[in-house]
Amino acid sequence: MECFSIKGGVPLHGEVTISGSKNAAFPVMAATLLTDEPCVIRGLPELSDTRFMAQILASLGAQVRFKNGTLAIRAKKIRGFADYDLVRKMRGSICIAGPLLARLRQVRISLPGGCIIGARPIHLHLKGFAALGAKIKIEGGYVDAAAKKLVGATMFLGGRAGSTVLGTANVMMAAVLADGVTVIESAACEPEIVDLADFLNVMGANVSGAGSPTITITGVKKLHGAEHEVIPDRIEAATFAIAAAATDGEITIKHARADHLRAVIDKLNEANVSVKRSGGNLVVRRQGVLKPVDVTTLPYSGFPTDVQAQMMSLLALAPGISIITERIFESRFMHVSELARLGADIEIEGPSAIVKGGRPLSGAPVMASDLRASAALVIAGLAAKGTTQVNRIYHLDRGYENMDAKLRKLGARIRRVEEQT
Ligand code: EPU
């Protein structure tokens, strides 16, 4: 297995270009199943997860070519079955359920189960399908959803932690070919949902209100082939911004959208990090000593749960007490004990982590537990004195395109090596 070996203490300087959004990629790729005509999706990140998503689409019968970030696909004849192995390996693949239900009027898909960051149920996706008239049966670890016809409906999709991103995406995709009007209340407002709505509309759908908590979908008879480019990855941009701040560097982030990053920029500013727009780019620079900040993760436009771990690494360097509260996923604190191995002083109290920042970090071997935890450990390693070995970086490769190469270009001393056991 590969790991990163990082010699810390080098401030990052230079330019980095952000890749296409992983979390926008999945629903947009899945939406191509809604038409039997050819579609082209550009700007996709080259990740193990996007390649796997392309394989899933091929396994459903679509003709697929995925090269240099471009997916050319034609789902002329498809089947509506996704087995346990597909969904278990990549939870994001659940968003094929909506388009398959819309197109075939029936789908059989494995329940994804939980993952390291939390339980991750899908009952809100199913509630939306049922509201459109689908009969739902759960048996043997599979969900069967079937309907003679889907009929538009008004539904409330809010849950325990607020809205659901992939649930909203799934129900939107199921509704685009339904008879009549669907209104999703408490819809997710994430930019990835807006990106999906944009693509669906280019395909001939009639979706309005995406980006707000009320999305209205007027069903159409048929969708046609279309081309689309996915939005930049706001979580990757946030990760690089935090890495620059943690190492006391200054970087220019290209292909990033400040309007998607407002909550992150706000918290960085509070922590004494300036983020300025300059000719369509973002320039990130620490202003001096970092300040402690309290952060609570929330659905968009709040602070993203996908940046919580990286922010914790930064706040471990800020003298004083920061309180980070995780409101979206119940067990998304796996990085805490690994950050402690580097010298961070963090205590967990229910849904909050109390970060007593400002202690010097020193390099050590650490274990990545999930994608964003891995990024947090890389950031801490870049800021720590000495060498940090981040093991199990396959998690990181699922969601960051060439992270080590991009960091090297910014001056980081980071190498990809075989894990020493
Ligand atoms: N929830 C329910 N019932 C449901 C669905 C969700 O209770 O039927 C709960 C979840 O348990 C969680 C909350 O609602 O507490 C939000 O979950 P959501 O459904 O929004 O998560 P998701 O759509 O499965 C996407 C991203 C995640 C990101 C979350 C939250 C993709 C592929 N995944 O997951 O990304 O953390 O939204 O923003 O888009 C990552 O990139 O590292 C990642 C985990």
Side-chain angles (χ1 to χ4, degrees):
M1 251 190 287
E2 290 180 324
C3 65
F4 282 163
S5 172
I6 304 168
K7 285 200 178 122
V10 184
L12 299 185
H13 281 285
E15 284 182 0
V16 62
T17 303
I18 298 306
S19 301
S21 161
K22 166 184 85 82
N23 289 348
F26 295 140
V28 165
M29 289 170 85
T32 63
L33 295 171
L34 286 162
T35 174
D36 59 4
E37 295 180 16
C39 292
V40 178
I41 314 294
R42 297 182 212 285
L44 292 166
E46 292 270 355
L47 304 167
S48 51
D49 269 11
T50 45
R51 278 191 284 270
F52 190 59
M53 186 69 179
Q55 276 173 28
I56 292 178
L57 300 177
S59 79
L60 295 170
Q63 293 165 273
V64 173
R65 229 187 62 219
F66 183 28
K67 226 179 147 191
N68 301 328
T70 298
L71 174 79
I73 181 164
R74 182 167 196 186
K76 202 167 176 188
K77 248 186 130 193
I78 48 167
R79 66 193 181 112
F81 173 68
D83 73 13
Y84 181 51
D85 265 357
L86 292 185
V87 185
R88 177 182 59 86
K89 280 194 198 136
M90 202 181 76
R91 225 198 148 275
S93 64
I94 193 70
C95 62
I96 60 176
L100 288 175
L101 180 62
R103 175 103 179 260
L104 305 171
R105 299 290 189 258
Q106 61 175 32
V107 56
R108 180 171 165 74
I109 189 162
S110 168
L111 282 166
C115 76
I116 190 100
I117 64 174
R120 311 196 73 179
I122 60 158
H123 63 277
L124 296 171
H125 306 223
L126 303 182
K127 181 181 173 187
F129 296 161
L132 296 173
K135 292 260 174 304
I136 311 285
K137 203 173 83 193
I138 297 179
E139 210 172 61
Y142 281 82
V143 179
D144 283 287
K148 281 212 173 69
K149 69 174 185 172
L150 295 171
V151 182
T154 295
M155 64 187 79
F156 179 81
L157 278 196
R160 180 185 58 80
S163 50
T164 160
V165 180
L166 289 178
T168 301
N170 246 337
V171 176
M172 264 166 74
M173 291 190 278
V176 284
L177 294 174
D179 286 355
V181 178
T182 297
V183 178
I184 306 176
E185 297 284 8
S186 198
C189 301
E190 270 70 3
E192 293 75 19
I193 293 296
V194 178
D195 200 41
L196 173 63
D198 288 346
F199 179 50
L200 291 171
N201 285 338
V202 181
M203 294 175 85
N206 186 348
V207 180
S208 61
S212 82
T214 305
I215 298 179
T216 304
I217 304 138
T218 305
V220 295
K221 285 270 169 287
K222 199 173 168 350
L223 295 185
H224 51 75
E227 297 198 9
H228 182 72
E229 179 164 344
V230 293
I231 52 171
D233 197 310
R234 62 192 168 101
I235 308 299
E236 189 195 11
T239 303
F240 275 96
I242 292 172
T247 59
D248 203 1
E250 174 170 347
I251 65 167
T252 299
I253 304 181
K254 298 172 105 172
H255 193 234
R257 292 206 22 194
D259 58 327
H260 291 169
L261 287 161
R262 289 205 203 292
V264 174
I265 293 173
D266 188 57
K267 286 296 164 189
L268 285 174
N269 290 163
E270 258 189 65
N272 213 16
V273 178
S274 93
V275 182
K276 294 239 156 66
R277 285 194 205 208
S278 158
N281 302 324
L282 296 179
V283 178
V284 182
R285 190 163 64 88
R286 186 154 126 188
Q287 301 288 68
V289 179
L290 289 167
K291 292 191 179 149
V293 170
D294 292 343
V295 177
T296 300
T297 66
L298 290 166
Y300 193 82
S301 57
F303 193 92
T305 173
D306 292 344
V307 186
Q308 178 257 108
Q310 303 88 313
M311 195 67 182
M312 194 180 293
S313 294
L314 182 69
L315 294 176
L317 302 165
I321 293 186
S322 298
I323 298 177
I324 301 182
T325 305
E326 174 57 56
R327 292 269 178 235
I328 309 294
F329 292 114
E330 63 269 27
S331 40
R332 206 169 199 181
F333 278 143
M334 300 298 285
H335 42 284
V336 169
S337 43
E338 298 302 303
L339 288 174
R341 290 182 50 73
L342 299 176
D345 185 349
I346 305 169
E347 256 174 63
I348 299 177
E349 285 274 341
S352 298
I354 298 156
V355 184
K356 295 175 194 152
R359 285 178 49 162
L361 301 186
S362 59
V366 286
M367 192 81 83
S369 55
D370 76 74
L371 171 57
R372 308 304 172 187
S374 321
L377 296 175
V378 169
I379 290 168
L382 290 169
K385 246 196 165 142
T387 303
T388 297
Q389 180 174 320
V390 183
N391 294 316
R392 301 204 179 160
I393 53 161
Y394 58 86
H395 289 296
L396 201 127
D397 290 333
R398 293 184 64 167
Y400 288 94
E401 188 177 49
N402 300 325
M403 186 192 238
D404 44 333
K406 288 184 181 184
L407 284 170
R408 267 194 302 279
K409 225 182 123 217
L410 295 170
R413 286 182 292 173
I414 179 168
R415 286 182 307 131
R416 184 180 283 264
V417 292
E418 272 307 308
E419 221 171 86
Q420 306 288 326
T421 47

